[in-house]
Amino acid sequence: MGGWPLSPLLIGCVCFLQLQLSIIFSNHEYLIGVGSYDMTGPAADVNMMGYANLEQKTSGIHFRLRARTFIVADASNNNNRFVFVNLDAGMASQLLTIKVLQALHSRYGNLYNEENVAISGTHTHAGPGGYLQYVIYSVTSLGFVKQSFDAIANAILQTIIQAHNNLKPASIFINTGEVKGGGINRSPSAYLENPAEERARYDSNVDREMTLLKFVGEASGKSIGSFNWYATHGTSMSRDNKLISGDNKGVAARLFEDFFSSPSTITSTLPPDIGQLVKKARGIKASGGHECSKERSQEAKVRKNDGSLFVAAFCQSNVGDVTPNVVGAFCIDTGKPCDFNHSSCNGNDQLCVGRGPGYPDEILSTKMIGERQFITAWKLFESASEELRGKIDYRHVYVNFTNIQVKLENNKVVKTCPAALGPGFAAGTTDGPGAFGFQQGDTKINPFWKHLRDLLKKPSKHQVRCQSPKPVLLSTGEMFDPYPWAPAILPIQILRLGKLIILSVPGEFTTMSGRRLREAVKETLISNGNGEFDQDTHVVIAGLTNTYSQYIATFEEYRQQRYEAASTLYGPHTLSAYIQEFNKLARAMAKGEKVAAKGPSPPDLSSQQLSLLLGPFEESPPKGIKLGDTKQDITLPKRGYFSKGDRPSATFWSANPRHDLLTEGTFAAVEMLQGKKWLTIHDDDDLSLFFKWKLDNSSLHGLATIEWEIPNHAISGVYRLRHFGASKTSGTSRISYFTGTSHAFAVK
């Protein structure tokens, strides 16, 4: 039989293929996986975490909260990896970290652990609270709220699983740039306490730089995600807001993700003549309430979370004294600027309130600050050309911050203190004024408040001396009834991705505190790294990560005792202690050494948590009415149709949204008629659609209002609003699901 000999040909092909594969994979330094999952939590009755305002309880959704994750692994040794999770939450929680790590261990063994997992919060002040384990952070939420905790913990786990399953060869690009108009310093008088020669090195009293990573899949050449770090508070939404919201960073993430992988475009199939549209709409009545499946709400989602979506995360940094209310702080009674040193108005802190760029519309301000971050991020993403290369590494340690011996530059040895809060803490900030009778900068406590303090816990003489010049209003580090009021043991962590160094800090560093920490760590890496690190090494701070311990002001800022200093828990040398302990980690990383000891583990207080929030009551609508029926249908304008910018709304008989969170689903939808079918074009994860819930004052029945701000890109057509909900069947634990629509309306 004639022909080519097969063996030499096959051997040659195999050798050539092996050569090509070795060339390809030699260029793959990293495996990257990204993930995202809904963590919205209870949209009714739960106190929001951030402002400590007892009256600020969730009553609907501005847009949904998400957990977003990236995992990076060494392609040549993919056991060498780390995880970074960004939460649309006020902050990380020690208890969340403990429970998530336990779940990861059950699934993956030792692959993911406390050393290589970082969980960070954006610091939105518009998310459900009750998920932290220390008393001081759960007073206003009436203790622990299991539903809040479970929603976040499940989202973290699901997004890590998603990212893990999505790991594939990828390139990582880094870029930096300035965000314009994203934040100003809310404590400028405290910043001025820092040495003049130090301040002269910077052109601003806030950090304007954003650091961005861009992830590009090697096989497809497709961008799969982007994470960035930039400092501005999640306080564009005020202390009076009651809608769950990711605030400005959540807006930025939603804009980026939609811009990159926007939902499919729908075109009108109906006649463009507005008269015909109005006639068509008039013939379509409200559906009335009826039962449906739980999956019906998930099917109505515009963005189906199948693991393929582009993921964009806007992470927090040294945010301590940075406010997004960039117009400044003014007295609400006179309209004049507030007192510079105390941020008060004739001695009243409650009259001094910061203004966002969209003042007095807080939702507009939130959108504008989000847009400013998004615009910078998109430009950096598009122009990113510097590829990250080099080691993946990490170091982690637990430190008891209540009694650290700190050696200062002059060789003087000082100590940190048990946690305590000063009266400036009670005064609040220009983002959210606190209790009447306090001012930022207070260095004395009046006899009335001293008496109340001592009833709770009189601070020890050691505590008073140690915390000076902070007068101790609450000695939380000495309060243990019914369980600890404040953390003592904190995690600190360094993650390395080539030249990028991420410092995971468990609190809010002020601008200058963050600068000092970054510089100290960089210098330590360079001086101990045998040439492995240089001036090109880039250090970022990931704020509010792994647990929460409030603020970290500089020694000089501490003397003025504004809010940030009064909330610096461990005394005047807190920052010096952080720098010392981070330098130990940096030195170990630079020398390729392991940390000598992991330190004392923080407590798991889950079994001691008190929960005073009552569960949702069983509900039934008034006689003759079904859940999902409209109580107040859409009111049409006199012209008979709506235009762009109008806000049609409908109110439905409903049940408490705590019965089922409809995770990865929606409570609200805008549907557009396409031929004979209705297609969802907006859900409650959109910035233009608002879901509001309340109890009817007269009947004590639940009411859900859906309001749509018709966007400028809306297409002429016939629309309707839809509500989804869940209720508990009387006398049983069974949850049933319902839906209903408004009558149709035309949009021109």
Side-chain angles (χ1 to χ4, degrees), residues 501-523:
I501 305 296
I502 303 170
L503 308 181
S504 300
V505 302
E508 303 176 59
F509 278 62
T510 64
T511 298
M512 194 63 85
S513 290
R515 288 167 176 170
R516 290 184 190 177
L517 179 63
R518 291 197 305 261
E519 290 177 1
V521 168
K522 183 173 180 176
E523 178 56 36

Side-chain angles (χ1 to χ4, degrees), residues 432-455:
F436 178 77
F438 293 95
Q439 288 190 87
Q440 295 193 62
D442 278 350
T443 54
K444 292 182 179 180
I445 306 172
N446 72 39
F448 172 77
W449 291 111
K450 264 189 181 177
H451 179 68
L452 287 182
R453 174 200 70 184
D454 292 348
L455 288 176

Side-chain angles (χ1 to χ4, degrees), residues 517-571:
L517 179 63
R518 291 197 305 261
E519 290 177 1
V521 168
K522 183 173 180 176
E523 178 56 36
T524 298
L525 290 170
I526 292 172
S527 60
N528 291 274
N530 294 320
E532 190 172 341
F533 300 93
D534 55 27
Q535 291 300 325
D536 199 36
T537 299
H538 189 75
V539 183
V540 298
I541 287 175
L544 307 115
T545 301
N546 293 329
T547 191
Y548 183 61
S549 60
Q550 291 174 258
Y551 285 76
I552 301 91
T554 68
F555 178 80
E556 296 84 359
E557 292 165 349
Y558 190 89
R559 292 182 304 206
Q560 200 186 48
Q561 280 300 298
R562 285 182 63 102
Y563 176 84
E564 294 80 19
S567 306
T568 296
L569 294 185
Y570 307 105

